[in-house]
Amino acid sequence: MRLLLTTSQGIEDLARAEVENLLSELGVPFRVEERPLGVEGRLLAEVGEAFYTDEKGRKRELSVSTYLNERSRLLHRVIVEIASERFEGIGEEEPEKVLRRIEEFVSELPVERFVKVSESFAVRSFRKGEHRITSIDISKTVGKAIFERLERFGSPKVNLDHPAVIFRAELIGDVFFLGIDTTGDSSLHKRPWRVYDHPAHLKASIANALIELANPEGGPFMDPFCGSGTIPIELALRSYTGEITCLEKFRKHLYGAKMNALAAGVRDRIEFLLGDATRLSEYVESVDFAVSNLPYGLKIGRKSSIPRLYMDFFGELAKVLGKRGVFITTEKRAIERAITENGFEIKHHRLIGHGGLMVHLYIIM
Ligand SMILES: C[S@@+](CC[C@H](N)C(=O)[O-])C[C@H]1O[C@@H](n2cnc3c(N)ncnc32)[C@H](O)[C@@H]1O
């Protein structure tokens, strides 16, 4: 079986390491490729069949996709791949020609091997890049091709609201993917514990990528701009044994973070502090790890306050940080200045896709 796995752009290596760890635990043969056909934010895993022995000693199949949906912290979707194809020149072609190419391609695929004709289905699409067609055009075209193909085997049923089976069609640049989306309509990064929706919350998958990069080894950990608590909560859910602190300036967000932690079942594992990160040393003497997505993209007018905020914060961080910091922001110039002028060294930098933007990530020591 081939699984197309989706995640955020820029964290494919971390997602791959996670998937490889999880698959090793199952003891199945596998091979994981990052960015199949050059597509960012995607992995392709070739996985052998997994089995377990039930209470009567019978060999039973274990669903690898269910396992990954349940266990992964970095993936967004687990899709059973039906086909992957590069359509050269698709960006320049007339819309009718593009859709005809997609329809012809899909109609040749043995989709009947992946669904029962009696099950209702829907096609959900994702499109990224320069095209003259929309994702709705793709859904309709792929849906028609699948329907006509399945008609050879019975009477297919479409149910757009509550389908039993979701086909996922993706057109990213000139690469087309088709598969069965085993994750469902809600991406895995939308955690069920999120009862308070902070306007600038971090995707849980990216929060876990930051945690992986910080690699905290049990010492005190803090998110000094914790908003709705995504990073501390995800860390606590990983059974972290060290102290975890969530510092936030606004009461409303801090209260929301507590509610999220309560929903996640980790309220008692996190210390919540109302306070100003530019006065960090007033609240804590030392922390080993500080991980945060910093405030950025504030409304024009207040944006000028960012360099000052970063300078003051990193000045305070220099007084308390013992081991490593991991931060993300869009404000490259302001953060790099604040990091270096406060005596820190940038150990690693990368770009990550978040909310349609590429944000800069730094590991500092
Ligand atoms: C980008 S958001 C963090 C979102 C968070 N990671 C989440 O997933 O919900 C930045 C947060 O920093 C808070 N903040 C801004 N200035 C602050 C300061 N001086 N001290 C502490 N928190 C501050 C904002 O209220 C906001 O909640």
Side-chain angles (χ1 to χ4, degrees), residues 222 243 245 273 279-287 320:
M222 172 182 247
E243 256 172 55
T245 307
L273 289 180
R279 290 163 46 197
L280 190 58
S281 62
E282 291 179 20
Y283 315 105
V284 285
E285 245 171 54
S286 72
V287 289
V320 301

Side-chain angles (χ1 to χ4, degrees), residues 8-10 76 189 199-207 293 296 328 330 351-360:
S8 289
Q9 245 175 297
H76 293 176
H189 71 73
H201 73 244
L202 191 63
K203 279 188 180 135
S205 50
I206 298 181
N293 69 320
Y296 55 77
I328 62 168
T330 52
L351 283 164
I352 292 185
H354 184 45
L357 294 171
M358 290 310 283
V359 295
H360 295 268

Side-chain angles (χ1 to χ4, degrees), residues 335-352:
I335 192 174
E336 288 185 1
R337 216 174 137 209
I339 288 172
T340 47
E341 289 196 10
N342 286 294
F344 290 111
E345 229 184 283
I346 297 173
K347 293 288 179 193
H348 175 81
H349 166 259
R350 65 167 71 192
L351 283 164
I352 292 185

Side-chain angles (χ1 to χ4, degrees), residues 194 198 200-202 223-231 247-250 253 275-278 293-296 309:
R194 196 178 291 289
H198 186 287
H201 73 244
L202 191 63
D223 178 349
F225 298 88
C226 76
S228 57
T230 311
I231 299 168
L247 178 73
E248 165 61 45
K249 188 172 171 184
F250 295 95
H253 297 323
D276 183 342
T278 63
N293 69 320
L294 300 174
Y296 55 77
L309 173 72

